[in-house]
Structures are given as structure tokens and as C-alpha cells.
Amino acid sequence: MMVAHVGNLCNAAFNNCLALRALGVEADLFITYLNEDMDGKPIIPPTENPQKAGQICDWPEWVRTWRLRPKSKPFLEQRRLLRKYDLIHGYTLSPVFLQFAGKRTISHCTGSDLRETAVSSGMMGRLLRRAYKRSSALLYTDCDAWTLEAIEKLSFGNFRFIHTIVNLGIYHPGEEQELRTKLLRPGEEKLIFAPARQDWHSKGNDVFLQAFSSFALHHPEVRLIARDWGEDAGRAKSLTRELGIAEKVLFVGELDPEEMAKYYRVADVVVGFFIDGESGYPHFPLIIQESLACGKPTVTYCDSRLCQHIFDDQHPYWRVEGKEEIQTQLEMALAGGEEVENRIRLGLAWAENRLSAKKIGQVLSGIYQEIINS
């Protein structure tokens, strides 16, 4: 079986290809781009370049680049490149042009392409809906309330949720005593890690900081590690000063996956995102999945519909509905004991069953086989 993956937002396609190739599927990756530099080399966004993400030193032979707007005969070029493949797995907006490749195509939605573009009235929206209708399968990975609403509005009926691969070789339980000793100051015993980038509109970081200011008054033994990264990073630091908690909050900048995993492991509790007014919106971020994979008690908002969609009847985290619940849920997650241990076990089992490269590779391979056999 030969499958071409086209597009590589957040390196999802690269990781999927690695997982599939480990299972014997010939999965090749075409990293798409629009422009070239002065030397004629592809300009690829860092979020789509496996080398920038630190995953590889040199591209393997099955990774290639593909300029989406060649100067002439784009569809002839497309058919030439994809001629040998049994299936085409296109990500984000690539199905708009892949629908003309003359091959069975899978459309893989990754966020705003589904919840915004596909339901819009413009030309791109119409072309994307046409591509979805012609696809042999429709997959999506970025799950939020608006995505589910868009799926209902489109009424295609064959969308399937696929988790993003989490590298369980990096994100796993363990001790980080040296880092913990470095982070804790005299009189402090507990660490809370807030890994979300500072984007108040989508993450609700400000909602948590306000709640933590009240929590810290009664829990001087707790210190917060937050991110000095994102469009609202400056506002976050200013807010901690306004709230009088600047001494209780340590801000850390961008972290590579290995560093991120260490901060998960060093924490007693990890917090996700929260909603209040215009801050935060209902979605299921990757940081929650990584936290559960590291075996950490996790406190976060999760829309009830998303909870059922993603976790079925399990709830391996402490769910916050409104900001007034944050302090109570933090205390429960920090308390330890049988209930905490039980949720940690549930989270680890869920991560192993849903997020591993092997599991997702098997799911994708099964979908491919179903299409080929149909």
C-alpha cells in the first residue's frame, strides 16, 4: 500500500508517516509551500518543518517538498507526482486542489479549515465542501465545540475523530528531582504548571491567574510555573504584579518537547485552559493530552459534549465549569490519595490506548484498507 501525505501543519503528517512506515505502509510526505527564498530554496514555516521541530537532523528520502503554485500546468504536475500512490491523504486546505488528482483522497481537517472555511460562503469554502463530498474519508484532529457544530451543519455524516500522535517516549511519567529542587524556594512544597501559551482569548490564562491569586493566599506552599510565551505574555506578567502574586509565579519561555515533558513531570498538578466571558473557548488542547500521558493530575475546563466525545464515560482529570470552581478543583487534585491515584491511572491508560504512534498508525492503516477494499 502506497499513500501520499500532503501538507504538514504542526508536523502531524510527518508523525503519521513515521507511525505508518513502522507498520509497513509506504507513506511518503509532501511538505507544501508557496514561496522560495533568493536562492530558490523553499520557504517552509517552522511549524511544518520537522528539522525546526528538532525531530530529525536530515530529511529522509520519503520526505519531499511541493510548491503549490508552479508557474505552469499545476494539475499535470500534480498527477505526475501522485501517479504511483494508491491513496492521497491531504491535510488542512490541500484537498481543495487534490480533488482534481484523479485519486481516492482522504481529507484531514486540522482546525479553522473545518470550523470556519468549510462553512463559509466564499469560493474557498465551496471548493473545500466539494472536496469533502468527493473524499473517501473525512478525518479531523482539532476537536472543539465549533468543530462539532460545523460537522452538524455540513451534514456529510462520515467525519471521524483522530487524535494527534503524542510521543510517549518523551511524554511519560518519571521523576525530575534536580529540576524540582531548583524551582522550589524555601517554604514551598508544591508546583503547579500552566503550560498553555499566553493567549487569553483562546486559552483563558488570565482567568486562571486571577483564581490563583486567591488560592495562593491560603496556600503559601504552592508555586506556579507559567509560560512567558504568546501574544499576551507581557499582559500576564503585568497581571501577576497587579494581583500581588509576582513572587509566586515563575515564567518560562519557549520549551522544546524534551524540556516541556520535564516540566510536566516536575509538577504536582498541571492546569489547562479556562473560560470566563471573552477569555477562553471550548476546545481540547494537546497540552491536556501530554499532561495525562505524563501521569499528572490535571485541572481544566472541558465542554461536557467534548468530554463525552473524547473520553466516553471516563474523566481522568478535574473538570472546571466556571472560574469559581478552580480553587476547589486545585485543592482536590493536590490532596493526593486514592482518588488522585485512580485518575492518574485512568489518564495513563487513556493516553496509551488513544495517543501512541502505534495505535494511531493502526487506526489510519485500517481506514486505508477499508477504502482500498471497498
Side-chain angles (χ1 to χ4, degrees):
M1 184 192 310
M2 298 187 69
V3 184
H5 288 240
V6 181
N8 192 38
L9 185 65
C10 297
N11 285 297
F14 177 79
N15 289 325
N16 286 343
C17 286
L18 280 176
L20 287 162
R21 294 182 78 87
L23 296 174
V25 178
E26 292 187 64
D28 293 347
L29 172 61
F30 291 87
I31 299 178
T32 55
Y33 70 100
L34 297 176
N35 301 305
E36 297 176 341
D37 62 19
M38 297 294 291
D39 297 322
K41 296 181 180 179
I43 298 176
I44 299 172
T47 55
E48 299 180 21
N49 190 336
Q51 288 175 301
K52 296 292 185 182
Q55 294 177 280
I56 54 173
C57 295
D58 298 301
W59 287 2
E61 52 85 23
W62 49 267
V63 176
R64 302 176 226 176
T65 57
W66 179 1
R67 190 172 188 180
L68 291 183
R69 296 177 181 175
K71 294 180 179 179
S72 62
K73 301 180 180 178
F75 295 118
L76 287 177
E77 173 71 3
Q78 175 175 278
R79 287 177 179 251
R80 182 188 66 80
L81 286 172
L82 302 177
R83 183 182 299 124
K84 69 178 181 178
Y85 296 99
D86 301 300
L87 293 172
I88 312 300
H89 188 146
Y91 295 77
T92 316
L93 296 177
S94 65
V96 166
F97 61 89
L98 290 173
Q99 63 183 301
F100 303 106
K103 292 281 187 177
R104 286 178 289 188
T105 302
I106 294 168
S107 293
H108 198 141
C109 314
T110 57
S112 61
D113 51 336
L114 172 56
R115 64 174 176 259
E116 296 176 17
T117 307
V119 295
S120 67
S121 58
M123 176 61 74
M124 185 62 75
R126 291 196 295 272
L127 285 171
L128 192 54
R129 288 193 296 274
R130 184 181 187 273
Y132 288 172
K133 290 178 181 178
R134 295 165 65 90
S135 295
S136 298
L138 292 167
L139 312 178
Y140 66 102
T141 54
D142 190 7
C143 192
D144 57 48
W146 295 319
T147 295
L148 299 183
E149 289 175 7
I151 289 173
E152 289 180 350
K153 186 174 182 179
L154 292 171
S155 302
F156 291 158
N158 58 338
F159 280 94
R160 181 167 178 174
F161 178 63
I162 301 291
H163 283 283
T164 300
I165 291 174
V166 171
N167 188 339
L168 301 184
I170 295 177
Y171 298 101
H172 58 78
E175 299 292 331
E176 298 291 345
Q177 192 56 51
E178 183 177 347
L179 179 59
R180 186 176 180 86
T181 301
K182 178 181 176 181
L183 295 174
L184 286 172
R185 299 178 306 180
E188 295 175 339
E189 301 173 1
K190 301 285 186 179
L191 289 171
I192 296 174
F193 181 39
R197 74 177 185 276
Q198 298 295 335
D199 180 350
W200 292 4
H201 175 65
S202 63
K203 309 297 184 184
N205 319 73
D206 54 324
V207 179
F208 180 74
L209 287 174
Q210 290 165 1
F212 180 75
S213 67
S214 299
F215 182 82
L217 289 175
H218 308 287
H219 297 276
E221 78 283 5
V222 177
R223 193 179 197 197
L224 173 64
I225 312 298
R227 304 299 299 282
D228 184 14
W229 174 52
E231 61 189 62
D232 291 314
R235 294 173 69 192
K237 287 184 173 180
S238 296
L239 182 59
T240 62
R241 291 191 291 269
E242 293 171 14
L243 295 170
I245 56 171
E247 293 298 314
K248 298 296 295 180
V249 182
L250 172 66
F251 285 92
V252 295
E254 293 192 48
L255 302 170
D256 64 31
E258 297 279 358
E259 292 170 327
M260 190 79 155
K262 288 182 179 180
Y263 275 91
Y264 283 127
R265 286 193 287 269
V266 81
D268 296 284
V269 166
V270 174
V271 297
F273 75 102
F274 305 92
I275 289 181
D276 182 53
E278 295 184 358
S279 294
Y281 71 85
H283 66 297
F284 184 66
L286 189 60
I287 58 174
I288 302 305
Q289 302 169 64
E290 293 170 348
S291 173
L292 295 176
C294 288
K296 289 299 169 179
T298 303
V299 177
T300 187
Y301 172 86
C302 189
D303 177 90
S304 58
R305 190 177 175 197
L306 292 183
C307 291
Q308 183 64 31
H309 190 73
I310 296 170
F311 292 106
D312 300 321
D313 295 323
Q314 295 183 350
H315 299 284
Y317 54 92
W318 279 261
R319 180 167 169 249
V320 170
E321 282 283 355
K323 63 179 181 180
E324 66 281 351
E325 297 180 1
I326 295 176
Q327 293 186 58
T328 302
Q329 297 295 67
L330 279 176
E331 288 174 348
M332 293 174 65
L334 285 166
E338 185 177 348
E339 176 62 21
V340 172
E341 292 300 319
N342 183 51
R343 294 200 195 193
I344 289 174
R345 286 193 294 270
L346 283 175
L348 286 170
W350 177 85
E352 181 64 34
N353 188 49
R354 300 284 189 94
L355 307 179
S356 70
K358 181 178 180 181
K359 179 64 177 181
I360 294 173
Q362 290 172 339
V363 170
L364 291 174
S365 179
I367 292 171
Y368 298 162
Q369 202 61 58
E370 289 174 10
I371 294 170
I372 289 174
N373 293 339
S374 62

